Amino acid sequence: MPFRPPNQHAITPQGRGRFPGFDVLDQAHKWDDVTAGVVLARLALPNMLSFFTTHEVGIAAPMLDLLLAQDDDPRVPVLGLIDTRLATAETDGWHYDDMPEDGQAWRETLAGLDEDARRRHGKGYAELASKDQARLLQDVQDLADAGESWHGWTANHVWSLWTRYATTAFYSHPWAWNEIGFSGPAYPRGYLNPGINTREKWEVADHDDVDPVPFARRVERARKCDDDLSGGNSGE
């Protein structure tokens, strides 16, 4: 296909997936032109970022990798997708009363994370080891869970800003669709076999039919019990 080299078939984030061989782009010829243009553009983002500064990239890139557990390639280009949204003011159309509009909120909260790093470690967030970056990020989530503030904002609102943009970007990308077996836009193709455990001819069965939610809950319980993550928070 003109939009994908042969060696890039069925790519999933970090090569992980439960639907072996499935590639949503195999159905791209079934999408209407506008939809195809929007989706395929996510595979060819500009090389240069338009919104984030170089300094902000050094903070946002590792932070987003930690939020999404993207610790190896291939990575969904979440930073680039968020940058495109903010550069064109494509927000969710609302923001929290105690925070500025989303673009400025991103700049100020990244600066807050960098300030925490300098206060605790004497150097910027981008310069820290991954475990120290994760600890500072975990502090924000812990404050959010506790209903407390962080740098004068409601911590839960900051956490919502970061995770909302991160997950929206991640799951807008065809590689993430391959990972979860999502068949992409239904229009104008449609679905002919509705019902539990029914599949269209282009869909692939889950090779590991185990609900991941109980495992995720166990991981979260272990995280909260980990003495290594019991350091003090860095809110105001």
Side-chain angles (χ1 to χ4, degrees):
M1 293 184 181
F3 53 83
R4 181 189 60 198
N7 64 345
Q8 292 187 359
H9 186 268
I11 292 179
T12 56
Q14 302 164 90
R16 301 170 184 167
R18 295 166 59 136
F19 302 86
F22 174 74
D23 194 330
V24 68
L25 296 180
D26 288 341
Q27 295 297 309
H29 64 286
K30 297 288 188 180
W31 305 339
D32 65 88
D33 291 343
V34 173
T35 298
V38 169
V39 174
L40 297 179
R42 298 167 188 166
L43 298 168
L45 293 172
N47 292 327
M48 300 294 292
L49 299 180
S50 301
F51 179 82
F52 291 116
T53 66
T54 301
H55 180 69
E56 289 166 345
V57 168
I59 305 165
M63 182 262 274
L64 290 167
D65 278 349
L66 285 167
L67 283 177
L68 296 165
Q70 292 208 102
D71 50 17
D72 200 0
D73 291 325
R75 289 176 170 86
V76 171
V78 171
L79 179 63
L81 290 164
I82 294 175
D83 183 89
T84 298
R85 281 191 65 185
L86 295 177
T88 57
E90 185 187 329
T91 68
D92 293 329
W94 60 273
H95 64 83
Y96 293 108
D97 289 341
D98 66 333
M99 300 185 70
E101 55 83 22
D102 286 358
Q104 188 62 27
W106 267 96
R107 294 199 191 284
E108 293 184 18
T109 56
L110 290 176
L113 197 57
D114 199 47
E115 182 182 330
D116 287 352
R118 295 183 186 281
R119 182 188 302 124
R120 184 175 300 184
H121 299 283
K123 53 187 176 181
Y125 191 81
E127 304 170 78
L128 299 181
S130 181
K131 66 180 180 61
D132 294 326
Q133 292 174 335
R135 175 65 264 174
L136 291 172
L137 195 59
Q138 186 62 59
D139 286 347
V140 182
Q141 185 184 21
D142 290 345
L143 288 168
D145 290 345
E148 299 182 24
S149 66
W150 180 76
H151 290 281
W153 300 294
T154 303
N156 186 52
H157 294 173
V158 176
W159 193 253
S160 170
L161 174 77
W162 292 344
T163 56
R164 190 170 73 248
Y165 271 79
T167 54
T168 297
F170 186 86
Y171 285 108
S172 73
H173 199 277
W175 294 354
W177 297 353
N178 291 342
E179 181 182 33
I180 64 176
F182 174 53
S183 298
Y187 177 82
R189 176 195 57 199
Y191 288 86
L192 300 176
N193 296 311
I196 298 174
N197 292 327
T198 59
R199 293 191 301 274
E200 304 295 339
K201 62 182 180 180
W202 59 83
E203 295 179 309
V204 175
D206 189 339
H207 76 84
D208 185 14
D209 191 16
V210 176
D211 186 352
V213 172
F215 172 76
R217 287 174 178 162
R218 291 199 302 272
V219 170
E220 184 67 7
R221 285 198 300 269
R223 178 188 67 78
K224 289 185 178 296
C225 292
D226 190 345
D227 291 338
D228 191 41
L229 292 181
S230 61
N233 292 322
S234 56
E236 291 187 343

